[in-house]
Amino acid sequence: MRIALVSDGGIGCGALPALIAALRRRGWSVIPVLLPVSAPGLGAALLSDLCGSAAVSGGALPAVDVTVVAPCEASLLAALQAPSGSGPGWRGPVVVVPIAAAPVTTAFQRAGWRLAPPGEPLLGGGVTGLLMASPEVVCQMVAACVAPQDLAGTRVLVTAGPTCEDLDPVRFLSNRSSGLMGLALALAAWRRGGRVTLVHGPLQVDIPRLPELQAVPVRSAREMQAAVLANADAQHVAILCAAVADFMPAHCAERKIKKGDGAGYALELVRTPDILATLGALPRRPFLVGFAAETHDLHAHALEKRQRKNCDLLCANDVTEPGSGFGVATNRITLFARDGSVTALPLLSKADAAERVLDRVVAALPVARLSP
Ligand code: PMT
């Protein structure tokens, strides 16, 4: 994919190296474009070096798939928001990445244009007020420009990460889930136009702050169930990828449990609520996708789980296989559908695996929306 990176050369350009690196890490070509009004900023030579592509000056854009205006400072944003301000002949999708100092009006509504939300402070040392969306947010917005919008108007709930079941104020039971797979599903659904609610336990990954992606942090299985049920009614699709603890301590001690005289300690555990099975039993439920983390007899266990928890699609992964399951960037998923079909996906990045899962969801959705 080819991206034109339009910059007006202002002080916010200090954020460009990280953004350019993030765009290029995804394998995208970045062509720097300096506007006629550009201040010296980072300089054409440095931008060309960072992008590995000669800077274009003068305002005419090269042929690209997506244009990114970053950082977009107050004067440029005002020009873009003026009724006649359409940029110098810009065509195709445009992602505008303002800094917070630049006011945004509702006049910013143009087909194919996306406005990044403000992000973290650009400058430290007591200098405040300059904010630009993180490189990850910009990359997601760019990817969304070229993604199929086949989930537009669809509300998708995703659960991700582990749950933590507290024993006392300092100890808890949990598992190895990082949240990568659930986040990949949430982001893929968001890029495809879905309005996403991500209910998640404590994650080892950051959630990009994107419009229409609502993150609901929880800790325990019971909290996750409450958050899922509170949101379930409004959803068209629910994808339960979280590694929910199956057991929790029967009691959570108010004070740190003392180790005593060195003898063993017996922990009484009770079952947690099964969130997927609870959704599966609802008379009106969203299109329901479950996951299954297996260590052996994957097919038999997955078939039994899909049926018992009454989900429309079950994504099973063998978490003992290297490169699959917990905490890694890739996954090998086998899909078990309600119609009895079984589809073994190859080992894929979690982002690609998420897209393949959503392809199946999208294909089934018109039917699912009509079902009770
Ligand atoms: O987070 P990562 O590090 O990226 O790892 C990804 C993953 C391995 C966690 C993910 O791919 C995965 O397999 N998620 C499901 C893990 C799991 O809990 O599997 P399970 O077979 O124990 O549960 C089956 C299904 O029931 C799951 O959809 C689970 O969310 C749900 N469940 C389980 C127990 C419970 N009390 N309530 C539930 O809703």
Side-chain angles (χ1 to χ4, degrees), residues 177-179 181 240-242 273 275-276 291 293 305 309 317 327 350:
S177 174
S178 60
M181 188 68 237
L240 272 58
C241 182
I275 305 166
L276 181 57
F291 267 70
K305 248 175 220 178
K309 303 201 181 198
N317 40 199
K350 283 183 173 168

Side-chain angles (χ1 to χ4, degrees), residues 3-230:
I3 296 168
L5 179 62
V6 178
S7 148
D8 64 2
I11 188 170
C13 284
L16 281 184
L19 174 58
I20 292 166
L23 294 167
R24 294 190 67 192
R25 258 198 308 277
R26 282 173 155 79
W28 299 334
S29 311
V30 184
I31 302 142
V33 178
L34 292 167
L35 294 174
V37 294
S38 292
L42 272 188
L46 181 51
L47 275 177
S48 300
D49 274 356
L50 289 169
C51 295
S53 173
V56 177
S57 306
L61 287 191
V64 290
D65 301 294
V66 180
T67 297
V68 177
V69 187
C72 185
E73 298 189 51
S75 54
L76 179 55
L77 191 63
L80 293 176
Q81 292 180 95
S84 59
S86 58
W90 299 351
R91 265 175 270 117
V94 178
V95 176
V96 176
V97 190
I99 55 177
V104 177
T105 70
T106 48
F108 196 93
Q109 298 282 348
R110 218 163 284 164
W113 287 55
R114 290 168 186 258
L115 186 67
E120 302 303 319
L122 267 184
L123 303 174
V127 183
T128 55
L130 290 178
L131 298 148
M132 186 172 121
S134 70
E136 178 60 20
V137 166
V138 179
C139 287
Q140 291 296 334
M141 297 194 77
V142 169
C145 290
V146 294
Q149 295 300 291
D150 47 11
L151 285 174
T154 307
R155 285 185 295 274
V156 182
L157 181 143
V158 179
T159 67
T163 63
C164 294
E165 311 301 328
D166 290 331
L167 269 145
D168 70 13
V170 298
R171 304 182 182 96
F172 57 89
L173 302 176
S174 190
N175 59 65
R176 296 166 193 266
S177 174
S178 60
L180 277 169
M181 188 68 237
L183 182 60
L185 286 156
L187 291 175
W190 179 86
R191 289 192 299 271
R192 292 167 80 141
R195 288 170 60 184
V196 179
T197 303
L198 176 61
V199 178
H200 63 89
L203 302 185
Q204 294 169 33
V205 287
D206 290 334
I207 303 171
R209 288 172 33 171
L210 293 161
E212 308 289 354
L213 193 159
Q214 190 203 357
V216 182
V218 298
R219 183 164 174 83
S220 65
R222 282 193 292 192
E223 283 177 21
M224 184 170 277
Q225 185 186 43
V228 166
L229 290 180

